[in-house]
Amino acid sequence: MFSFPPSSFAPGRRRFADLSEREILALAISAEEDDGRIYASYAERLEADYPATAAIFREMAKEEDGHRRALIAEHERRFGPTIPLIRREHVADYVTRHPVWMVENLGLERIRAEAERMEKDAARFYEMAAQRAGDAGTRRLLGDLAAAERQHEHRAEALAEENLAGEGRAEEDRTARRRLILTWVQPGLAGLMDGSVSTLAPIFATAFATKDPHTTLLVGLAAAVGAGISMGFTEAAHDDGKLSGRGSPIKRGLASGIMTAVGGLGHALPYLIPDFWTATTIAFAVVFLELWAIVWIQHRFMETPVVRAAIQVVVGGALVLAAGTLIGGG
């Protein structure tokens, strides 16, 4: 039924089976309050870019508030107006909720999936709570709430049809794709191109000048890591994303810096192999794969024609590789 976090049996936490009916109602009230706030936070987070989906989450927050009111009324009927303080984190085997900031930064589909999980978890909780209830009115209310949560998925679908009719859903999907490209793909692609191409000359010049895999490896590591740090800071510092709409500078800096380092490390790491010609042959093969991977990414996400991307990347990379090889060999 419930998920068990690593500390689920930490001292001071109660088991669900040990809760009284009053504590179960209090737990349900606090859970509905939390879920309502989560849905409201999602709506606020999505309002600017995805207004139709934001409207769905606002409606879901209102429904959670209605559940909360019904639970409070039932608690007042049976136990009076004072509600014990008991929350999810006080119960060892209760369902968990990811912090909002961990979900909202992962995009539209991740938020939708998390909302669906929340509804299923709530339905299972009310089903188990209803089995524990001895009072007929409480049992009926909890059973009704379980049924309501089970129907939430269908309600969400109905709200989606109502709010995302016509071009609404397609427009939101286009916005999500555009944000993905601007925040992650474009900086990452620029970093991969820079790391793969700009480090070719120093690495292969060193390789053919020294024919020493260890020295080549050190030069390659230094070039890749240095380029990654430089590209990452440059991307993060030159645009805060507010006016351009390119998203968080930290995300873009990480995407650019990491992919720059990856691009350089790809053809540096083969020089871990002590035999020079074996390492160099593998490094050439890695360069070939890197360049064509860049071509594919450009075509897939940036809609660049394959021929144009190949000329820009493969031909340019080959020229840089040849320059480094000739300089080192000479």
Side-chain angles (χ1 to χ4, degrees):
M1 166 195 163
F2 301 128
S3 59
F4 294 84
S7 58
S8 62
F9 296 103
R13 302 182 72 186
R14 302 278 298 281
R15 294 292 302 274
F16 178 75
D18 298 330
L19 299 181
S20 66
E21 289 189 41
R22 184 183 186 186
E23 289 170 330
I24 289 175
L25 283 174
L27 176 61
I29 292 168
S30 69
E32 291 291 352
E33 290 173 345
D34 289 346
D35 287 353
R37 284 196 293 268
I38 290 172
Y39 289 140
S41 296
Y42 289 165
E44 182 181 22
R45 155 73 173 79
L46 298 171
E47 182 64 42
D49 296 322
Y50 313 104
T53 296
I56 294 174
F57 282 117
R58 281 195 296 270
E59 289 296 322
M60 295 175 70
K62 290 179 182 178
E63 291 192 9
E64 298 302 308
D65 186 60
H67 296 172
R68 180 186 64 84
R69 292 174 180 272
L71 288 162
I72 290 175
E74 181 65 15
H75 187 280
E76 289 179 341
R77 180 184 74 84
R78 292 193 59 192
F79 305 109
T82 303
I83 302 172
L85 176 61
I86 180 169
R87 305 177 66 86
R88 286 187 174 96
E89 58 267 26
H90 301 155
V91 181
D93 45 354
Y94 191 58
V95 293
T96 59
R97 290 282 185 263
H98 298 303
V100 171
W101 61 85
M102 290 181 61
V103 178
E104 67 179 8
N105 290 324
L106 297 180
L108 181 61
E109 291 304 323
R110 181 67 178 84
I111 292 176
R112 288 171 176 164
E114 181 65 17
E116 182 179 347
R117 185 183 76 90
M118 288 169 59
E119 294 158 9
K120 292 178 180 179
D121 288 345
R124 288 195 296 270
F125 164 71
Y126 283 124
E127 287 167 356
M128 296 296 294
Q131 296 174 12
R132 295 279 312 282
D135 180 85
T138 302
R139 189 181 186 93
R140 181 171 58 252
L141 172 62
L142 294 173
D144 290 345
L145 290 176
E149 295 290 350
R150 287 294 182 191
Q151 292 172 357
H152 259 191
E153 183 175 356
H154 303 295
R155 172 64 174 151
E157 291 174 359
L159 288 170
E161 291 178 2
E162 177 183 339
N163 289 281
L164 297 177
E167 286 294 315
R169 179 62 177 264
E171 180 60 30
E172 288 200 350
D173 289 342
R174 284 193 293 270
T175 300
R177 176 181 171 81
R178 184 166 60 250
R179 179 63 59 84
L180 171 69
I181 289 174
L182 290 176
T183 304
W184 293 107
V185 177
Q186 193 177 68
L189 178 61
L192 184 61
M193 291 177 65
D194 185 82
S196 297
V197 176
S198 67
T199 59
L200 287 175
I203 289 176
F204 285 98
T206 303
F208 282 94
T210 65
K211 292 188 170 53
D212 179 4
H214 180 69
T215 301
T216 304
L217 175 64
L218 294 180
V219 171
L221 291 177
V225 174
I229 294 172
S230 174
M231 283 288 290
F233 273 101
T234 300
E235 178 63 41
H238 91 278
D239 178 11
D240 63 8
K242 293 179 181 179
L243 291 178
S244 65
R246 298 180 65 216
S248 166
I250 295 177
K251 293 179 182 178
R252 291 187 285 105
L254 286 173
S256 180
I258 291 172
M259 293 309 294
T260 300
V262 167
L265 290 173
H267 42 267
L269 292 179
Y271 287 96
L272 286 168
I273 300 172
D275 182 75
F276 171 77
W277 287 110
T278 301
T280 301
T281 301
I282 296 175
F284 274 122
V286 170
V287 170
F288 177 83
L289 293 176
E290 286 175 344
L291 296 179
W292 280 105
I294 294 170
V295 171
W296 180 85
I297 294 171
Q298 281 193 325
H299 177 67
R300 173 69 176 79
F301 291 99
M302 312 304 291
E303 299 181 358
T304 305
V306 174
V307 174
R308 194 172 95 191
I311 292 174
Q312 290 175 342
V313 178
V314 177
V315 174
L319 291 174
V320 174
L321 175 62
T325 302
L326 290 174
I327 291 170

